[in-house]
Amino acid sequence: MPRLRLMRVMAMPSSSSSSLLQTHLVSLPLKPRTLLLRKPHKPHYHPSLSSTIIFVARPFSASPTLSSSAEPQIPYSLKSFDGDIQPYLRCSMPHKRLKVAVLLSGGVDSSVALRLLHAAGHSCTAFYLKIWFQEDFENFWSECPWEDDLNYAKTVCNQIQVPLEVVHLTDEYWKNVVSYIIEEYRCGRTPNPDVLCNTRIKFGAFMDAISSMEFDYVASGHYANVVHSCTNQIDVASVLELSQDMVKDQTYFLSHLSQAQLKRLIFPLGCISKEEVRKLATKFDLPNKDRKDSQGICFLGKIKFSEFVARHIGEEEGIILEAETGDFLGKHRGFWFYTIGQRQGLRLPGGPWYVVEKDVKNNVVFASRNYFSIDKRRRIFRVGSLKWLSRLAPDQTSHLQCKVRHGPGFYNCSLTMEFDEDGREDVAVVQLSEDDQGLAAGQFAAFYQGNACLGSGVILESWDDKGFPVCAEALEIARMEDKSLLGKPVKIKVKSDSPTSEPDQEGGTKLNIKGQRSSQIVAAKKGRQALFPITWLQQFSEKWFRIF
């Protein structure tokens, strides 16, 4: 019989200013599909999420706290606030009294968002999401800063007597985000974990977990703004708008949400800048007011992404070829470590070198020093898995704006919808007004009209020769079975119009690049004739099963 493991953390009074934590462990037998009826401030179990666990941290207070229905004359948040906070509450619905679930990460953004909602008079409950891996992922825990994050979150909540609940979504995160990331990298694509985390975890599995707790809205520290209908009519769509801070704007990461998800969201930071957030953190005397913003993928902590990829996909030696000539430049650990437009990690002299294409079947990476050449740029691509925030594709598709990555930059663009066999508009051809070299399959393209984000789709692989042009000789070498016949990589020289022979490091004479390339092509042809074709995909499959 499955058992639900609950851990409750309570703050206890102490002679010092800090609180001591007392932990209680309980193990309860549960029958399948059993629903634990929620009581005030008790752990909540949702039957559809068998691995979801919530525990509560409540502050100790010598004086009675105000009930959510009471109207305090002076909000706690304003007692020590020097200045008028009203201008900062525009995105916090200050004219209503709401019950709000606030996602609290321990960072300064979500902490300020909580304080603004509390100052607006809402009844808030903070939630910290634990999404670290299961115990068989060795050494990942020791590098993950979740304990620091949780301690900051507790202190922030204790300042204003707001309850904090911790939700375990490890299994959901692995199934819906991490597994997807691994599979996409195996296929040579570059997924966006932040978009998936928002759609499937923060505003997906988490919303499901608290569905019976009757919150009016869910809030977070995202830099975005949601405009809701004043009439609360079900058929009137909510609109996702750009934040005031265009550099920090995070609508790109929220662009794949559904309308049902959007209708339940509040983003208090959508009307203020990052600089103002830092000032508010100082005014509120938050414990994390000087804490640096987190970087990288949320579930990795301090682990480098390349280490994560190596741990879960492994390594498979391949070759790097120059896209324009087919020159054998060097070796790599596996195509999945590289994405289109990447400069770091190639370790080639005479650069800068950029990854311009990948041959997934043959584990070959194509590089170029001419990545920014005018004739190599790309402005036409396709997107699939389209999702529109208003549920319908935009009526106007010729005068839109587009983001192909997070940041303040936009392109003017047009869309041409394509219909599948069932008549659904699931794929579109995107024409940008300017060229862009960093279009990577698996990333998202978000579409805008004015300040409103309309939705997004996933960038598909190159098509109709619209990708970076790789010469026929390079493609032929990539297809050879026995790459050892290539010999040693060419000695890369500084770019010049006419390559010449020069001494190699051993004092001998090196063939010029053109001559060595010819010998590589001959070796490729001989290799294909002499060897039985054992594909790289078969080798990778065997290695993959050994890993898992």
Side-chain angles (χ1 to χ4, degrees):
M1 181 180 298
R3 304 173 74 86
L4 176 65
R5 186 170 180 268
L6 306 176
M7 181 166 63
R8 178 174 300 169
V9 178
M10 299 178 292
M12 303 297 292
S14 170
S15 57
S16 63
S17 57
S18 61
S19 297
L20 299 176
L21 296 178
Q22 184 178 20
T23 303
H24 300 278
L25 296 179
V26 170
S27 183
L28 301 177
L30 294 177
K31 295 181 180 179
R33 307 295 299 173
T34 298
L35 175 64
L36 297 184
L37 298 179
R38 180 181 177 273
K39 297 180 181 180
H41 311 320
K42 292 293 184 181
H44 168 68
Y45 170 71
H46 193 272
S48 64
L49 294 174
S50 59
S51 65
T52 300
I53 308 172
I54 299 178
F55 64 83
V56 184
R58 295 204 170 274
F60 173 83
S61 177
S63 58
T65 58
L66 293 170
S67 65
S68 59
S69 61
E71 292 287 345
Q73 294 181 353
I74 302 178
Y76 183 89
S77 302
L78 300 181
K79 289 182 180 179
S80 60
F81 191 84
D82 183 15
D84 185 9
I85 198 175
Q86 291 302 319
Y88 302 105
L89 301 180
R90 288 173 295 158
C91 290
S92 299
M93 295 188 176
H95 303 298
K96 298 182 179 181
R97 292 297 176 264
L98 303 169
K99 183 180 179 183
V100 183
V102 185
L103 287 171
L104 194 62
S105 66
V108 66
D109 292 333
S110 60
S111 299
V112 170
L114 173 64
R115 293 298 294 264
L116 290 176
L117 290 167
H118 185 265
H122 302 311
S123 174
C124 300
T125 300
F127 291 87
Y128 177 85
L129 304 186
K130 273 189 175 179
I131 54 175
W132 71 78
F133 293 145
Q134 296 96 332
E135 295 182 5
D136 57 335
F137 296 98
E138 68 270 9
N139 298 325
F140 275 55
W141 298 56
S142 60
E143 298 295 333
C144 182
W146 67 267
E147 289 181 327
D148 292 340
D149 293 338
L150 185 54
N151 286 332
Y152 276 116
K154 291 174 183 176
T155 307
V156 169
C157 290
N158 285 344
Q159 285 182 326
I160 51 174
Q161 285 86 49
V162 166
L164 172 65
E165 302 192 12
V166 179
V167 185
H168 288 233
L169 294 175
T170 305
D171 291 342
E172 288 74 21
Y173 196 84
W174 175 261
K175 176 182 177 181
N176 295 309
V177 178
V178 181
S179 295
Y180 177 85
I181 292 171
I182 293 173
E183 183 60 29
E184 286 292 281
Y185 272 98
R186 286 183 61 212
C187 296
R189 295 184 287 269
T190 307
N192 192 304
D194 296 296
V195 175
L196 298 173
C197 184
N198 287 328
T199 305
R200 301 180 179 185
I201 302 300
K202 291 180 180 178
F203 310 124
F206 170 68
M207 281 186 169
D208 292 338
I210 64 169
S211 60
S212 65
M213 300 177 76
E214 300 179 351
F215 285 102
D216 297 309
Y217 288 97
V218 173
S220 70
H222 283 90
Y223 286 85
N225 187 25
V226 182
V227 179
H228 298 288
S229 169
C230 297
T231 59
N232 292 325
Q233 295 180 357
I234 299 178
D235 57 340
V236 179
S238 297
V239 180
L240 178 64
E241 290 190 346
L242 295 167
S243 70
Q244 180 175 308
D245 192 325
M246 292 299 295
V247 175
K248 295 294 293 183
D249 178 77
Q250 292 174 304
T251 53
Y252 175 82
F253 298 130
L254 300 164
S255 61
H256 217 56
L257 296 174
S258 67
Q259 178 62 206
Q261 291 170 317
L262 196 64
K263 275 186 172 295
R264 298 184 59 189
L265 298 180
I266 305 176
F267 299 128
L269 306 188
C271 301
I272 58 181
S273 66
K274 179 67 178 186
E275 182 181 3
E276 290 173 315
V277 168
R278 285 289 181 185
K279 290 180 179 179
L280 286 170
T282 301
K283 291 288 187 180
F284 288 134
D285 193 27
L286 295 178
N288 50 13
K289 59 187 176 184
D290 298 320
R291 198 181 189 199
K292 293 181 180 179
D293 293 336
S294 61
Q295 301 291 333
I297 302 173
C298 50
F299 67 85
L300 290 182
K302 299 177 183 178
I303 299 295
K304 293 181 179 179
F305 187 69
S306 60
E307 295 177 15
F308 168 77
V309 172
R311 167 66 177 82
H312 294 287
I313 302 182
E315 298 183 10
E316 187 77 20
E317 186 177 85
I319 63 172
I320 303 173
L321 300 178
E322 185 171 22
E324 295 91 344
T325 65
D327 290 327
F328 173 32
L329 303 177
K331 297 181 179 181
H332 62 79
R333 297 187 297 159
F335 68 81
W336 46 88
F337 288 99
Y338 303 92
T339 187
I340 302 300
Q342 179 175 330
R343 176 179 172 181
Q344 302 295 327
L346 288 172
R347 300 178 181 177
L348 298 175
W353 291 91
Y354 296 86
V355 176
V356 294
E357 287 293 342
K358 296 184 290 185
D359 183 338
V360 174
K361 180 180 179 180
N362 298 298
N363 192 26
V364 175
V365 171
F366 299 100
S368 173
R369 290 184 286 195
N370 302 313
Y371 190 53
F372 293 97
S373 298
I374 294 177
D375 62 333
K376 307 272 194 321
R377 294 181 178 176
R378 184 179 172 201
R379 65 173 65 186
I380 300 177
F381 60 96
R382 300 170 77 215
V383 292
S385 303
L386 285 164
K387 184 180 287 186
W388 304 107
L389 289 167
S390 64
R391 301 189 183 98
L392 299 174
D395 297 331
Q396 182 84 6
T397 58
S398 58
H399 299 288
L400 302 177
Q401 293 78 45
C402 175
K403 278 188 179 186
V404 293
R405 61 186 61 86
H406 170 59
F410 289 85
Y411 290 114
N412 291 324
C413 73
S414 63
L415 287 179
T416 302
M417 306 303 298
E418 293 184 349
F419 296 88
D420 61 14
E421 297 178 353
D422 299 325
R424 295 176 298 183
E425 297 177 322
D426 191 47
V427 175
V429 178
V430 183
Q431 172 88 44
L432 301 180
S433 60
E434 302 176 42
D435 299 310
D436 187 282
Q437 283 108 336
L439 297 172
Q443 288 285 305
F444 284 79
F447 302 99
Y448 298 79
Q449 196 165 43
N451 288 330
C453 179
L454 305 178
S456 64
V458 180
I459 298 175
L460 303 179
E461 286 83 359
S462 302
W463 67 292
D464 293 346
D465 297 325
K466 298 299 181 181
F468 193 96
V470 178
C471 73
E473 294 174 353
L475 294 174
E476 188 172 8
I477 294 174
R479 288 190 292 266
M480 65 183 293
E481 282 89 15
D482 187 2
K483 304 275 191 317
S484 65
L485 296 176
L486 293 175
K488 295 181 179 180
V490 300
K491 183 174 180 182
I492 301 171
K493 300 183 295 184
V494 178
K495 293 177 64 177
S496 61
D497 295 332
S498 56
T500 58
S501 297
E502 61 180 69
D504 63 15
Q505 295 177 350
E506 286 75 24
T509 301
K510 184 185 102 44
L511 291 173
N512 62 42
I513 293 178
K514 184 176 180 180
Q516 186 157 348
R517 183 169 69 254
S518 299
S519 66
Q520 291 170 353
I521 295 174
V522 172
K525 292 179 178 179
K526 289 182 178 179
R528 284 200 307 275
Q529 295 171 356
L531 297 177
F532 181 79
I534 301 176
T535 65
W536 172 87
L537 190 57
Q538 291 172 322
Q539 298 172 9
F540 181 80
S541 256
E542 295 172 1
K543 187 172 185 67
W544 178 258
F545 284 115
R546 287 200 301 270
I547 293 174
F548 290 95

